[in-house]
Amino acid sequence: AQSVTQPDIHITVSEGASLELRCNYSYGATPYLFWYVQSPGQGLQLLLKYFSGDTLVQGIKGFEAEFKRSQSSFNLRKPSVHWSDAAEYFCAVGRSGGSNYKLTFGKGTLLTVNP
Amino acid sequence: NAGVTQTPKFRVLKTGQSMTLLCAQDMNHEYMYWYRQDPGMGLRLIHYSVGEGTTAKGEVPDGYNVSRLKKQNFLLGLESAAPSQTSVYFCASSDGGQGRTEQFFGPGTRLTVL
């Protein structure tokens, strides 16, 4: 069965600092990978996704993520964090091919941004 | 274009009461989903639908029922609410299989069962 691990429950960074949120997945074949962001009291919004091709993907709000098959990782990065980036971030993995509808979410990483 | 909407936004129930949560989407998506979100648990899939008139069980379906009578609507019902169903419920929709395309989420319904 597929699974997603986000090792960091809570991360605090200063505004302007760089950010990396970790995501490790377990899946036998090439997965579909997603990062979502949830602002307080809001639903989830897609930041970026990886299906195939270039392993470095760009998303909205200046975020990027890199797929590393050898490490089963899909870490999210941003070079300079803004106060408005404070939110909870979820990594998710979906199965490729067929008609399987299972999308598995990690438990989330809460990002706090200090001024 | 409202996207995915959910009603109500908040609800408090007593144990044993019933209620229905409504999800509506105006993007003509085939697929719709109901999740629950609990602290430290991420999102867990309750039920989903791959088209009008179809429903299927997700990861945590017990205690919930769903219906998809119209393509744009997906209803989640609790027949006899329990405190363990206190949670935030999210509806989502997509135009492809869950593993292949982006899901669009509603703003959520915060349910408290006393």
Side-chain angles (χ1 to χ4, degrees):
Chain A
Q2 63 206 58
S3 65
V4 179
T5 301
Q6 294 180 245
D8 304 304
I9 296 173
H10 188 190
I11 284 182
T12 300
V13 300
S14 298
E15 191 169 16
S18 63
L19 172 70
E20 182 170 29
L21 302 182
R22 296 183 291 165
C23 173
N24 294 99
Y25 68 90
S26 174
Y27 179 59
T30 300
Y32 295 123
L33 295 161
F34 306 81
W35 274 101
Y36 283 85
V37 60
Q38 183 181 29
S39 298
Q42 303 295 316
L44 278 70
Q45 180 185 20
L46 183 71
L47 282 176
L48 47 78
K49 59 189 176 186
Y50 171 79
F51 289 168
S52 64
D54 192 348
T55 57
L56 184 63
V57 293
Q58 303 296 322
I60 62 172
K61 305 185 180 186
F63 286 91
E64 66 177 27
E66 186 172 12
F67 170 59
K68 292 186 177 180
R69 185 190 302 276
S70 62
Q71 298 178 19
S72 296
S73 68
F74 188 56
N75 293 349
L76 182 70
R77 301 193 294 248
K78 187 170 185 178
S80 178
V81 170
H82 188 263
W83 64 266
S84 61
D85 294 324
E88 190 157 20
Y89 292 80
F90 293 93
C91 181
V93 59
R95 293 188 62 164
S96 57
S99 59
N100 190 298
Y101 302 100
K102 186 171 176 61
L103 184 65
T104 302
F105 285 85
K107 295 184 178 181
T109 297
L110 182 64
L111 174 65
T112 297
V113 180
N114 288 333
Chain B
N1 191 337
V4 179
T5 58
Q6 294 182 232
T7 54
K9 288 185 169 54
F10 303 93
R11 186 71 186 268
V12 178
L13 291 178
K14 294 180 180 179
T15 297
Q17 288 184 319
S18 63
M19 77 163 295
T20 300
L21 282 67
L22 171 63
C23 174
Q25 53 95 2
D26 61 2
M27 297 173 281
N28 201 36
H29 285 169
E30 287 292 336
Y31 301 84
M32 297 188 73
Y33 316 87
W34 275 107
Y35 293 92
R36 60 177 290 171
Q37 183 181 35
D38 303 292
M41 298 295 290
L43 276 78
R44 293 180 292 170
L45 183 64
I46 304 171
H47 286 280
Y48 63 95
S49 168
V50 302
E52 181 178 316
T54 75
T55 63
K57 293 180 180 180
E59 185 184 355
V60 287
D62 293 342
Y64 305 94
N65 56 76
V66 289
S67 64
R68 182 99 180 267
L69 299 180
K70 294 182 179 181
K71 185 177 183 178
Q72 64 268 33
N73 295 336
F74 195 29
L75 279 63
L76 178 71
L78 287 73
E79 290 186 349
S80 179
S84 61
Q85 294 178 304
T86 293
S87 187
V88 181
Y89 292 86
F90 287 98
C91 177
S93 71
S94 71
D95 63 3
Q98 186 180 117
R100 296 192 292 275
T101 62
E102 174 185 359
Q103 291 187 25
F104 295 81
F105 283 81
T109 295
R110 185 173 295 275
L111 174 66
T112 300
V113 182
L114 302 175

Short mmCIF file of all heavy atoms in Angstrom, two decimals, chain A residues 1 7 15-17 22 35 39 45 47-48 51-52 57 59-60 64 66 74 79-80 84 96 102 109:
data_model
loop_
_atom_site.label_atom_id
_atom_site.label_comp_id
_atom_site.label_asym_id
_atom_site.label_seq_id
_atom_site.Cartn_x
_atom_site.Cartn_y
_atom_site.Cartn_z
N ALA A 1 0.84 -1.19 0.00
CA ALA A 1 0.00 0.00 0.00
C ALA A 1 0.88 1.25 0.00
O ALA A 1 1.98 1.24 0.53
CB ALA A 1 -0.91 0.01 1.22
N PRO A 7 8.19 14.06 7.89
CA PRO A 7 8.88 13.86 9.17
C PRO A 7 8.74 15.02 10.14
O PRO A 7 8.84 14.83 11.35
CB PRO A 7 10.34 13.68 8.76
CG PRO A 7 10.30 13.35 7.31
CD PRO A 7 9.10 14.04 6.76
N GLU A 15 11.22 35.18 8.44
CA GLU A 15 10.86 35.74 7.15
C GLU A 15 12.13 36.06 6.36
O GLU A 15 13.09 36.62 6.91
CB GLU A 15 10.02 37.00 7.32
CG GLU A 15 9.39 37.49 6.02
CD GLU A 15 8.35 38.57 6.25
OE1 GLU A 15 8.31 39.14 7.35
OE2 GLU A 15 7.57 38.83 5.32
N GLY A 16 12.15 35.67 5.10
CA GLY A 16 13.32 35.88 4.26
C GLY A 16 14.26 34.69 4.22
O GLY A 16 15.12 34.61 3.33
N ALA A 17 14.12 33.78 5.15
CA ALA A 17 14.97 32.59 5.16
C ALA A 17 14.48 31.58 4.13
O ALA A 17 13.34 31.65 3.66
CB ALA A 17 14.97 31.96 6.55
N ARG A 22 10.06 18.35 4.03
CA ARG A 22 10.40 17.01 3.58
C ARG A 22 9.16 16.15 3.37
O ARG A 22 8.18 16.25 4.13
CB ARG A 22 11.34 16.34 4.57
CG ARG A 22 12.70 17.04 4.69
CD ARG A 22 13.59 16.27 5.64
NE ARG A 22 13.13 16.36 7.03
CZ ARG A 22 13.56 15.57 8.01
NH1 ARG A 22 14.43 14.59 7.74
NH2 ARG A 22 13.12 15.73 9.24
N TRP A 35 1.89 18.60 -3.75
CA TRP A 35 1.97 19.40 -2.54
C TRP A 35 0.76 20.35 -2.51
O TRP A 35 0.49 21.06 -3.48
CB TRP A 35 3.24 20.24 -2.48
CG TRP A 35 4.43 19.51 -1.91
CD1 TRP A 35 5.46 18.95 -2.59
CD2 TRP A 35 4.71 19.30 -0.52
NE1 TRP A 35 6.37 18.39 -1.72
CE2 TRP A 35 5.92 18.60 -0.44
CE3 TRP A 35 4.06 19.66 0.66
CZ2 TRP A 35 6.50 18.23 0.77
CZ3 TRP A 35 4.63 19.29 1.87
CH2 TRP A 35 5.84 18.58 1.92
N SER A 39 -4.26 27.22 4.31
CA SER A 39 -4.22 28.38 5.20
C SER A 39 -5.25 28.20 6.30
O SER A 39 -6.22 27.47 6.11
CB SER A 39 -4.47 29.66 4.42
OG SER A 39 -3.46 29.85 3.43
N GLN A 45 -5.25 24.00 -1.21
CA GLN A 45 -4.95 24.54 -2.54
C GLN A 45 -3.71 23.86 -3.08
O GLN A 45 -2.71 23.70 -2.36
CB GLN A 45 -4.72 26.05 -2.46
CG GLN A 45 -4.41 26.72 -3.78
CD GLN A 45 -4.07 28.19 -3.64
OE1 GLN A 45 -3.71 28.67 -2.58
NE2 GLN A 45 -4.21 28.92 -4.73
N LEU A 47 -0.29 23.42 -4.71
CA LEU A 47 0.92 24.21 -4.97
C LEU A 47 1.62 23.75 -6.23
O LEU A 47 2.04 24.56 -7.07
CB LEU A 47 1.90 24.09 -3.80
CG LEU A 47 1.64 24.89 -2.54
CD1 LEU A 47 2.68 24.55 -1.49
CD2 LEU A 47 1.64 26.38 -2.84
N LEU A 48 1.78 22.44 -6.36
CA LEU A 48 2.45 21.88 -7.52
C LEU A 48 2.23 20.38 -7.55
O LEU A 48 1.75 19.79 -6.59
CB LEU A 48 3.96 22.19 -7.48
CG LEU A 48 4.72 21.96 -6.19
CD1 LEU A 48 5.04 20.50 -5.96
CD2 LEU A 48 6.00 22.78 -6.14
N PHE A 51 4.08 14.42 -12.32
CA PHE A 51 3.58 13.20 -12.93
C PHE A 51 4.69 12.46 -13.64
O PHE A 51 4.81 11.25 -13.54
CB PHE A 51 2.46 13.51 -13.93
CG PHE A 51 1.17 13.96 -13.29
CD1 PHE A 51 0.15 14.51 -14.05
CD2 PHE A 51 0.96 13.84 -11.93
CE1 PHE A 51 -1.04 14.91 -13.46
CE2 PHE A 51 -0.22 14.25 -11.32
CZ PHE A 51 -1.22 14.78 -12.11
N SER A 52 5.51 13.20 -14.40
CA SER A 52 6.61 12.58 -15.14
C SER A 52 7.48 13.70 -15.68
O SER A 52 7.17 14.88 -15.53
CB SER A 52 6.08 11.72 -16.29
OG SER A 52 5.40 12.53 -17.24
N VAL A 57 10.02 20.58 -10.35
CA VAL A 57 8.77 21.18 -10.79
C VAL A 57 8.55 22.51 -10.08
O VAL A 57 8.86 22.66 -8.90
CB VAL A 57 7.56 20.25 -10.55
CG1 VAL A 57 7.67 19.04 -11.45
CG2 VAL A 57 7.47 19.83 -9.10
N GLY A 59 5.93 25.56 -8.91
CA GLY A 59 4.53 25.74 -8.54
C GLY A 59 4.18 27.20 -8.36
O GLY A 59 4.92 28.09 -8.75
N ILE A 60 3.05 27.40 -7.73
CA ILE A 60 2.61 28.77 -7.47
C ILE A 60 3.31 29.33 -6.25
O ILE A 60 3.92 28.58 -5.47
CB ILE A 60 1.08 28.83 -7.29
CG1 ILE A 60 0.66 27.99 -6.07
CG2 ILE A 60 0.37 28.34 -8.55
CD1 ILE A 60 -0.81 28.16 -5.70
N GLU A 64 8.91 25.32 -5.29
CA GLU A 64 9.37 24.29 -6.20
C GLU A 64 9.56 23.00 -5.41
O GLU A 64 9.67 23.01 -4.18
CB GLU A 64 10.68 24.67 -6.89
CG GLU A 64 11.87 24.79 -5.97
CD GLU A 64 13.16 25.10 -6.71
OE1 GLU A 64 13.11 25.69 -7.81
OE2 GLU A 64 14.22 24.72 -6.17
N GLU A 66 11.40 18.86 -5.82
CA GLU A 66 12.25 17.98 -6.60
C GLU A 66 11.93 16.53 -6.29
O GLU A 66 11.93 16.11 -5.13
CB GLU A 66 13.72 18.25 -6.31
CG GLU A 66 14.66 17.45 -7.22
CD GLU A 66 16.10 17.85 -7.07
OE1 GLU A 66 16.44 18.59 -6.12
OE2 GLU A 66 16.91 17.43 -7.92
N PHE A 74 10.13 13.84 -2.22
CA PHE A 74 9.54 14.91 -3.03
C PHE A 74 9.49 16.14 -2.12
O PHE A 74 8.46 16.54 -1.63
CB PHE A 74 8.15 14.51 -3.51
CG PHE A 74 7.53 15.46 -4.51
CD1 PHE A 74 8.18 15.77 -5.69
CD2 PHE A 74 6.27 16.01 -4.29
CE1 PHE A 74 7.61 16.63 -6.62
CE2 PHE A 74 5.69 16.87 -5.20
CZ PHE A 74 6.37 17.17 -6.37
N PRO A 79 13.05 29.68 -1.76
CA PRO A 79 14.30 30.36 -1.41
C PRO A 79 14.15 31.45 -0.36
O PRO A 79 15.08 31.69 0.41
CB PRO A 79 14.77 30.94 -2.75
CG PRO A 79 13.58 30.96 -3.63
CD PRO A 79 12.67 29.87 -3.16
N SER A 80 12.99 32.10 -0.31
CA SER A 80 12.81 33.20 0.64
C SER A 80 11.35 33.21 1.09
O SER A 80 10.45 33.51 0.31
CB SER A 80 13.18 34.53 -0.02
OG SER A 80 12.97 35.62 0.88
N SER A 84 3.20 35.51 4.67
CA SER A 84 1.94 34.93 4.19
C SER A 84 2.06 33.43 3.87
O SER A 84 1.05 32.78 3.58
CB SER A 84 1.47 35.67 2.94
OG SER A 84 2.43 35.56 1.90
N SER A 96 -0.29 5.76 -10.22
CA SER A 96 -0.24 6.02 -11.66
C SER A 96 -0.92 4.88 -12.40
O SER A 96 -0.83 3.72 -12.01
CB SER A 96 1.21 6.15 -12.13
OG SER A 96 1.95 4.98 -11.80
N LYS A 102 -7.14 6.09 -5.25
CA LYS A 102 -6.63 6.35 -3.91
C LYS A 102 -5.55 7.42 -3.96
O LYS A 102 -4.53 7.27 -4.62
CB LYS A 102 -6.05 5.06 -3.32
CG LYS A 102 -5.62 5.20 -1.87
CD LYS A 102 -5.28 3.84 -1.29
CE LYS A 102 -4.75 3.96 0.12
NZ LYS A 102 -5.73 4.57 1.02
N THR A 109 2.74 19.36 7.63
CA THR A 109 3.78 20.11 8.34
C THR A 109 3.28 21.53 8.53
O THR A 109 2.91 22.20 7.55
CB THR A 109 5.10 20.16 7.54
OG1 THR A 109 5.61 18.84 7.39
CG2 THR A 109 6.13 21.02 8.27
#
